[in-house]
Amino acid sequence: MAKRVRVRAPELSGKGGWINTGGKDLRLADFRGRVLILDFWTFCCINCLHVLDELRELEERHRDTVVVVGVHSPKFVHEAEHRAVVDAVERYGVEHPVLDDPELATWKQYAVRAWPTLVVIDPEGYVVAQHAGEGHVHAIERLVEELEAEYGAKGTLRRGDGPYVPPEPEPTALRFPGRALLLPSGNLLVSDTTRHQLVELAQDAETVVRRIGSGARGFADGGPGEASFNEPQGLALLDDGAVVVADTVNHALRRLDLATGAVTTLAGTGRQWWRGSATSGPARGTDLSSPWDVAVFGGKVWIAMAGVHQLWTYDPVDGTVAVAAGTGNEGLVDGPGAEAWFAQPSGLAATADRLWVADSETSALRWVDRDGHVRTAVGTGLFDFGHRDGPAGEALLQHPLGVTALPDGSVAVADTYNHALRRYDPATGEVTTLATDLREPSDAVLVGTDIVVVESARHRLTRLRLPEEAVRVDAVAHRTRRAATEVAPGALRLDVIFEAPAGQKLDTRHGPSTRLLVSSTPPELLLKGEGADTDLSRELELNPAVAEGVLHVSAMAASCDDDSAVAYPACHVHQQDWGVPIRLAEGAAHRLPLVLAGMDAG
C-alpha cells in the first residue's frame, strides 16, 4: 500500500457546542480507533444538503467503524444562531453528531475554504484526505475500506456504536413545512417537508383533513397511503386540476390527483443530475437536481432547479424537460436565459408577463420575462445581505426562499433568514417590510384579503391581514462572515489540488478531463488570469489598486476506474465552486491552494 500523507488533526471546538450527543461534549480523542469523517457544512447550501444524502448509505454500511461529525460553519448571520442549527439538524434528518461552530474556529484550524468540505481522519488521529464539493463519497468509501483493513491488521481499529443520540420527536401537526397552495375547494395543501408528506388543511389553516404519503423517505407511486416522497417542497396547480409537486431529494416532479389522492411521477429518474447528463429530453428519462419550487408560466411548468443554479421547464403536452435559464455557474448575472447566472433559485411566482424568482444564495429577487430574459429587482451578489428597506438598488434581503404575486402587481418575499415578509413594488422601485417576527418563513399564499405565511421553523401556517402601508424597520447590512485570505499584490499562483481516487485515473478519452474557470468581484481585481482553461493551475495578476475583493473559482475534474480490461469503466465528475474573499497585503503569500480532492503538499 502506497504511503499516504498524514497530518495531525487539530482539536474540534465550537462555541455553539454539540448537537445529537445527548448533551455530551466530545473531543477528538473520543473518536480514536474509528475512521472519522468531518463534514463542514452550512444549512443554506444545496451542495451541503446533497452531501448529507450521499453520506447516509456510507454511514449505514460502515456504522461500526466510521463516525461522521458535521461541523456547522455558517455563511449567513442567521446560520450562526444555535437554535437555527438545531432546527436544521432535525429538518434535514441529520443522524450523526454535529458541532456548532458559529465563529468558524474549527473551519479555520482545518484551513477549509468551501462548503461543503469533507475531511477524513484515520483511527490514530491524522488527516489523510480532504475533498471539497459533492460527489466524493465513492472515493471516500474506498479510502475507508483501506483504513479498516490497515488499522484492523494493526489492532488499533475500534468497532462499536457511535456517539449519536437522536432527539425526542415533537408532537406537532406539521414539521418544518415548506410550501402551501390554495386549492379550488378553499382548503390549503402543505408540503410537510421533514415528514415526507403532503397535508391538506381545512380553511382555518389548522385542521388536518388528510395526509398523502407514507411518511417515510422513499420514491414510490400509488395511493395516498402507499406513495412516498423525500423532502417535498414546491406545489402548483396544473390546468387539469391536479397538483405538481417538487419532490426535492428524489430529484423528481410528482403529480397528485386531488380527487383520489393518487401520486404518480411526471419527471425525473430519482438520480441526481451531474455535469455531462442530458439537459433536455423525455421527462421520465432525464435526471433533475433538487427541484425546490414549481410555477406554471407561459403554458409550461417552470422548475427552480436549486441543485444546479438553473431554471428548467416541464412541458405537460409533450412530456419533456429542458433547461430554460442559467449556465449552471453560481452567481448573479442578468441577460438572456442562456447567459444568466443564478445561485440556488428556490422560489417562483408567475404573473401574466413575469416569472418572479427568489434567488436565495445571492439574497436576490429576480424575474424572467416572456422572452426568457433574466433581470434583477433586488440584490447585488453572493456576499451582501441584510435587512434594509428603501430603493431596490440599496435594499437588502437575507436568503429568501419564497415569493408571492400580490393583486396590485407588487410581490411579497418570504425573507427567510430575516424572519420577515417583505414587499417589492415595481411601480415605485421600493422595498418595504410587511411583517416581522416570523420564524423562517418559506412561502406565503393569498387567501382573500389575507396572506397566509408558512412559518417553517414554528411548524405552522400564520394568517396575516395585508396592511395598507408597510412597516419600516431599522436597516441592517451584513457581509459573509469568513475572514479574508491575505495575499500579496501582483503575481499570485492559483493551484487547485486534485488527486484521482485510489484505483482511478483522469479520464482523457474525450479530450481534457479538467476545467478551471476564474473571475473576480470587482472585475478590476484581476489584471490577468480571468476566464476558462483546462489546466488546474494558473498564474493570476492582482491589481494593487484594489485592496480587497472575491476570487470566484470553479474547478472540474473527471476520473474513471483504472482497469484496461473493463470496456465501460465507472466514471465520476468532481466539481466545486469557491468564493474566496481576499485582502491584498505586502509580504503575504504569492500562492493560493484550493483542495478539490487530496492533500496539498505545497
Side-chain angles (χ1 to χ4, degrees):
M1 184 179 299
K3 187 174 179 62
R4 62 175 66 90
V5 177
R6 301 167 81 224
V7 178
R8 174 63 73 180
E11 188 54 78
L12 305 177
S13 63
K15 189 174 181 180
W18 289 86
I19 304 166
N20 278 355
T21 64
K24 181 179 179 181
D25 290 335
L26 300 175
R27 296 182 62 80
L28 199 60
D30 295 320
F31 304 101
R32 193 63 52 86
R34 310 292 291 272
V35 179
L36 176 61
I37 301 173
L38 302 182
D39 175 19
F40 289 86
W41 69 298
T42 189
F43 64 77
C44 73
C45 160
I46 190 66
N47 309 93
C48 299
L49 303 186
H50 289 165
V51 167
L52 287 176
D53 294 315
E54 291 176 2
L55 287 170
R56 293 185 205 282
E57 291 186 12
L58 183 147
E59 290 180 88
E60 180 59 31
R61 284 194 293 267
H62 301 270
R63 62 187 311 164
D64 65 336
T65 58
V66 170
V67 176
V68 175
V69 167
V71 182
H72 189 270
S73 313
K75 172 186 176 182
F76 290 98
V77 169
H78 170 58
E79 293 173 312
E81 299 174 15
H82 182 68
R83 178 69 251 175
V85 181
V86 172
D87 284 346
V89 168
E90 180 188 353
R91 182 195 299 266
Y92 297 115
V94 179
E95 296 184 351
H96 52 244
V98 173
L99 174 63
D100 181 12
D101 184 20
E103 297 178 346
L104 303 179
T106 297
W107 165 287
K108 294 171 185 174
Q109 285 294 311
Y110 281 82
V112 175
R113 298 186 186 274
W115 296 279
T117 291
L118 295 170
V119 174
V120 182
I121 299 174
D122 70 20
E124 294 180 352
Y126 287 86
V127 175
V128 292
Q130 181 172 324
H131 299 265
E134 55 183 296
H136 297 294
V137 169
H138 68 284
I140 290 174
E141 185 155 23
R142 287 193 181 190
L143 176 57
V144 164
E145 290 167 352
E146 290 179 8
L147 295 173
E148 287 173 338
E150 178 180 346
Y151 290 93
K154 291 174 67 175
T156 54
L157 184 70
R158 179 169 57 87
R159 297 178 180 270
D161 293 333
Y164 168 66
V165 178
E168 290 293 326
E170 297 286 344
T172 54
L174 302 173
R175 204 69 191 162
F176 298 105
R179 306 283 161 169
L181 175 68
L182 181 64
L183 299 177
S185 66
N187 288 350
L188 292 158
L189 186 68
V190 182
S191 53
D192 196 15
T193 304
T194 297
R195 293 207 175 116
H196 315 295
Q197 291 180 318
L198 307 180
V199 178
E200 184 175 346
L201 299 179
Q203 296 181 24
D204 63 4
E206 295 181 5
T207 304
V208 175
V209 175
R210 61 174 171 168
R211 293 182 179 273
I212 298 157
S214 66
R217 287 183 189 271
F219 188 15
D221 291 343
E226 296 80 36
S228 55
F229 300 93
N230 198 341
E231 298 184 23
Q233 287 281 352
L235 307 166
L237 275 172
L238 296 171
D239 291 340
D240 63 4
V243 174
V244 58
V245 182
D247 194 5
T248 304
V249 179
N250 277 330
H251 312 294
L253 299 187
R254 316 292 292 281
R255 179 186 185 274
L256 168 65
D257 186 312
L258 286 171
T260 65
V263 177
T264 52
T265 300
L266 293 175
T269 62
R271 298 185 300 270
Q272 182 185 340
W273 187 96
W274 286 100
R275 190 169 294 274
S277 302
T279 55
S280 64
R284 290 294 306 273
T286 304
D287 298 340
L288 307 180
S289 181
S290 297
W292 207 274
D293 203 6
V294 282
V296 177
F297 178 63
K300 295 181 179 180
V301 177
W302 285 66
I303 310 164
M305 201 75 79
V308 286
H309 315 299
Q310 291 176 321
L311 303 181
W312 287 42
T313 57
Y314 163 71
D315 189 332
V317 175
D318 62 16
T320 59
V321 293
V323 175
T327 63
N329 293 318
E330 185 178 11
L332 193 153
V333 176
D334 290 343
E339 300 173 10
W341 291 24
F342 293 94
Q344 212 168 301
S346 301
L348 301 175
T351 64
D353 60 351
R354 293 184 182 186
L355 179 73
W356 292 98
V357 183
D359 200 27
S360 61
E361 278 294 282
T362 54
S363 297
L365 174 64
R366 322 266 309 267
W367 54 281
V368 183
D369 65 19
R370 284 281 188 174
D371 296 326
H373 200 98
V374 179
R375 294 179 172 85
T376 298
V378 182
T380 59
L382 286 165
F383 300 97
D384 291 289
F385 56 91
H387 192 155
R388 184 163 65 200
D389 287 340
E394 301 173 7
L396 293 173
L397 308 169
Q398 186 180 178
H399 198 79
L401 289 179
V403 59
T404 306
L406 300 178
D408 65 352
S410 65
V411 290
V413 180
D415 193 6
T416 309
Y417 287 3
N418 280 327
H419 309 299
L421 189 67
R422 312 286 293 284
R423 175 176 176 263
Y424 167 68
D425 187 349
T428 64
E430 289 284 316
V431 175
T432 52
T433 297
L434 295 173
T436 57
D437 194 31
L438 300 167
R439 188 69 184 171
E440 290 193 20
S442 56
D443 194 19
V445 59
L446 282 174
V447 181
T449 58
D450 296 338
I451 189 164
V452 175
V453 180
V454 180
E455 279 198 271
S456 188
R458 284 200 177 112
H459 320 292
R460 71 187 188 191
L461 304 190
T462 298
R463 188 182 298 268
L464 303 173
R465 183 58 53 92
L466 278 173
E468 293 183 5
E469 294 186 6
V471 179
R472 297 192 71 88
V473 300
D474 293 334
V476 179
H478 303 290
R479 284 189 66 82
T480 297
R481 299 172 61 86
R482 284 177 293 167
T485 298
E486 290 195 344
V487 294
L492 176 68
R493 181 174 178 81
L494 172 65
D495 288 327
V496 174
I497 312 302
F498 177 76
E499 299 171 10
Q504 294 196 340
K505 63 179 181 180
L506 287 174
D507 178 16
T508 57
R509 294 171 299 162
H510 307 291
S513 60
T514 56
R515 180 175 181 269
L516 180 63
L517 175 66
V518 180
S519 62
S520 67
T521 303
E524 296 78 19
L525 175 64
L526 274 178
L527 295 177
K528 188 180 75 172
E530 183 179 9
D533 202 347
T534 58
D535 194 340
L536 291 182
S537 293
R538 188 176 303 179
E539 296 294 337
L540 310 180
E541 185 176 349
L542 303 179
N543 187 347
V546 180
E548 60 181 23
V550 178
L551 284 178
H552 304 283
V553 181
S554 178
M556 183 275 289
S559 63
C560 292
D561 288 345
D562 188 8
D563 187 346
S564 58
V566 178
Y568 301 100
C571 297
H572 305 274
V573 175
H574 313 259
Q575 183 175 356
Q576 177 60 27
D577 297 328
W578 290 269
V580 185
I582 63 169
R583 180 182 301 112
L584 271 58
E586 293 293 341
H590 285 275
R591 177 176 179 265
L592 177 63
L594 300 175
V595 177
L596 178 60
M599 297 282 285
D600 177 28

